[in-house]
Amino acid sequence: MANLDQKRQLALALKRKEMIAKSTCFNPRDFNSRPTKIQSKVLKAINTVPERYVLGGNQSGKSNLGGRECSWVLQGTHPEWSKKPDHPLLLMVVGQTHKIVKEELWEAKIKPFLNEGEYKVFKEGSALTSVVHENGNKILFFSHKSPEECRQAVQAFVAEDRKSTRLNSSHSSVSRMPSSA
């Protein structure tokens, strides 16, 4: 009986250690990973730049940066916040297709940092539309056919949001679009 208790305690301790490592790393598959100098500069600007658009060339690290920051903001655990917002936040994640949004951004860059049971996923058919965290923070997922269509959709949403009762929401955007955007 004591042996079973010890195994359970060890399993819980290992899970806790993994959760701590996952909360501080930059890549969920490498617990020793850290952001580059440029990525760190962007992360530190969270207190001065509340609306963020992550744009960059192919393989420049924008998806990793946006995904990591999005997961921290969704959980309310961003390490660079000097003062955490006292209201639920609204984040927007944008990609060229529903498949890219779901597989390359949500499943590969954001979800691995989250703990099971702390969020709820919403879909329309097979398309991912939003994720709501237990703290009230929410991610909206958009796809677009062109960079211009993306900008128009996000700008229209932000303009409408500012007129609505969610006037105090903050926005972050993770974008996966071609470097020609």
Side-chain angles (χ1 to χ4, degrees):
M1 191 68 147
N3 195 17
L4 186 58
D5 267 356
Q6 289 174 335
K7 286 181 182 179
R8 284 185 186 147
Q9 287 178 351
L10 179 59
L12 286 172
L14 289 173
K15 183 70 173 167
R16 177 78 177 133
K17 182 179 177 186
E18 180 182 313
M19 287 174 60
I20 290 168
K22 190 168 62 168
S23 73
T24 59
C25 70
F26 196 70
N27 179 334
R29 288 165 290 290
D30 178 3
F31 291 156
N32 295 316
S33 62
R34 298 295 177 257
T36 65
K37 286 182 183 180
I38 292 172
Q39 290 168 328
S40 291
K41 204 172 180 181
V42 173
L43 292 170
K44 289 177 194 245
I46 187 125
N47 295 302
T48 57
V49 185
E51 295 182 12
R52 303 153 78 72
Y53 301 88
V54 181
L55 302 171
N58 292 333
Q59 300 298 308
S60 63
K62 65 187 174 295
S63 295
N64 285 332
L65 170 65
R68 186 57 179 123
E69 182 162 77
C70 189
S71 66
W72 274 327
V73 171
L74 182 68
Q75 293 173 304
T77 59
H78 198 294
E80 298 296 336
W81 264 334
S82 58
K83 182 180 180 216
K84 294 180 184 176
D86 58 358
H87 57 278
L89 300 177
L90 179 63
L91 298 96
M92 291 180 276
V93 174
V94 182
Q96 288 180 301
T97 66
H98 289 296
K99 183 178 180 179
I100 287 174
V101 167
K102 181 181 175 202
E103 294 176 8
E104 294 184 31
L105 298 175
W106 166 246
E107 291 178 358
K109 309 288 187 198
I110 303 169
K111 183 181 175 183
F113 289 110
L114 307 177
N115 300 312
E116 288 296 322
E118 71 180 17
Y119 61 89
K120 186 170 181 178
V121 174
F122 295 90
K123 295 180 179 183
E124 286 182 14
S126 64
L128 179 65
T129 58
S130 64
V131 170
V132 179
H133 193 271
E134 63 189 12
N135 64 14
N137 292 345
K138 181 177 187 178
I139 304 173
L140 297 178
F141 295 92
F142 293 93
S143 66
H144 61 84
K145 292 185 179 18
S146 70
E148 187 57 32
E149 180 185 349
C150 170
R151 284 185 198 91
Q152 289 172 353
V154 170
Q155 287 170 347
F157 184 86
V158 170
E160 184 61 31
D161 183 56
R162 287 188 173 149
K163 288 190 274 181
S164 76
T165 57
R166 296 182 308 229
L167 192 59
N168 291 326
S169 63
S170 295
H171 303 279
S172 177
S173 177
V174 179
S175 181
R176 181 134 166 95
M177 60 177 73
S179 55
S180 60

